[in-house]
Amino acid sequence: MKVKEIPGIPRQKKGGFHNTESKKEFDHPETAVQQFAILKSRLYSINQWKDFCGEGFADFKLYDSSGNYTDNIPEKGYFIRIDIPGPGTAEADGFDWVEITEISDQHTKDDEFENISITCRPSKAPGNSIKKHTAHFYSSSATSTFMISRGNTYIKAAVYGRNETANLQAAFLDKIRNLLIAAGGIIGISKIQWKRLTDALLDF
């Protein structure tokens, strides 16, 4: 698999990567516009991602820049708490955390194409002044970009992972955990989970 060079996606420099995409085709542009409005709502409903995907999928919860749980539309500087199946981090009470570092909403003047993306980067738990380490199995150089797009007769959901390396700036047991999970991600296990999400976002 080759790295896709996509505008708005961080460049791949080291470690693992993936391009996970799902697409839905329509006969009429009006249908694509209507369906994309639903897809946009589902992308922004981060707290419901597990409900879309079902049991066995990670549980995502949105927190504001102060570390408070929120049902708001995600914003740059907000955090996402991830509870993945299996052992969690000792660093952050069993959870992994990412910070939303970029949100983009673009469309062409003729309104035939629209693209929305949310880029996240592993971070420490918000509001935690004692524990300084990145609370995630990937290092802070890794990114995940959740992207939806609309063309004339299609809508697409995608997740693009870049620069995925194990987080070794952690306590000993967390290092072991992070190495094992990162190894699974590099060989494609995490892509199976992301494919489940992109399919589920389109399944309405």
Side-chain angles (χ1 to χ4, degrees):
M1 180 177 63
K2 293 183 178 180
V3 178
K4 286 189 176 183
E5 296 290 343
I6 301 170
I9 305 296
R11 294 191 66 181
Q12 172 68 18
K13 297 179 180 178
K14 62 179 179 179
F17 68 91
H18 69 89
N19 310 302
T20 306
E21 301 174 333
S22 301
K23 193 174 184 180
K24 209 169 186 179
E25 302 275 358
F26 306 102
D27 293 329
H28 305 290
E30 295 82 3
T31 307
V33 172
Q34 294 166 359
Q35 296 289 286
F36 188 76
I38 299 172
L39 178 58
K40 181 177 179 178
S41 174
R42 290 167 74 88
L43 173 71
Y44 285 160
S45 299
I46 293 172
N47 296 328
Q48 277 72 58
W49 284 2
K50 181 179 175 68
D51 295 335
F52 300 152
C53 294
E55 289 301 317
F57 190 74
D59 192 15
F60 291 75
K61 298 298 180 187
L62 183 66
Y63 287 72
D64 65 22
S65 55
S66 299
N68 301 308
Y69 174 80
T70 180
D71 270 320
N72 291 343
I73 291 175
E75 297 180 12
K76 182 178 179 179
Y78 276 23
F79 295 86
I80 300 173
R81 192 193 75 181
I82 309 166
D83 185 5
I84 67 171
T89 64
E91 181 71 23
D93 300 321
F95 301 109
D96 294 274
W97 288 87
V98 295
E99 181 180 359
I100 297 174
T101 57
E102 197 66 48
I103 295 182
S104 174
D105 189 343
Q106 300 175 326
H107 55 85
T108 56
K109 289 182 179 180
D110 58 12
D111 206 34
E112 287 192 357
F113 179 82
E114 189 172 359
N115 186 84
I116 297 171
S117 64
I118 302 173
T119 297
C120 303
R121 189 179 297 275
S123 69
K124 70 183 187 70
N128 193 332
S129 59
I130 299 174
K131 296 181 179 180
K132 301 290 186 180
H133 294 144
T134 296
H136 197 279
F137 48 86
Y138 284 143
S139 72
S140 59
S141 63
T143 59
S144 293
T145 301
F146 304 90
M147 180 179 288
I148 60 172
S149 55
R150 171 182 62 83
N152 205 29
T153 56
Y154 74 86
I155 59 175
K156 184 169 76 171
V159 184
Y160 300 104
R162 296 292 183 265
N163 304 303
E164 297 174 336
T165 60
N167 173 24
L168 301 181
Q169 301 298 315
F172 177 73
L173 290 178
D174 277 348
K175 284 183 183 179
I176 303 289
R177 167 192 180 268
N178 296 345
L179 282 166
L180 290 172
I181 297 176
I186 290 169
I187 64 174
I189 294 174
S190 66
K191 180 169 180 175
I192 296 171
Q193 287 279 303
W194 291 134
K195 181 63 174 173
R196 190 171 167 186
L197 175 63
T198 58
D199 286 347
L201 287 174
L202 293 176
D203 184 16
F204 43 83

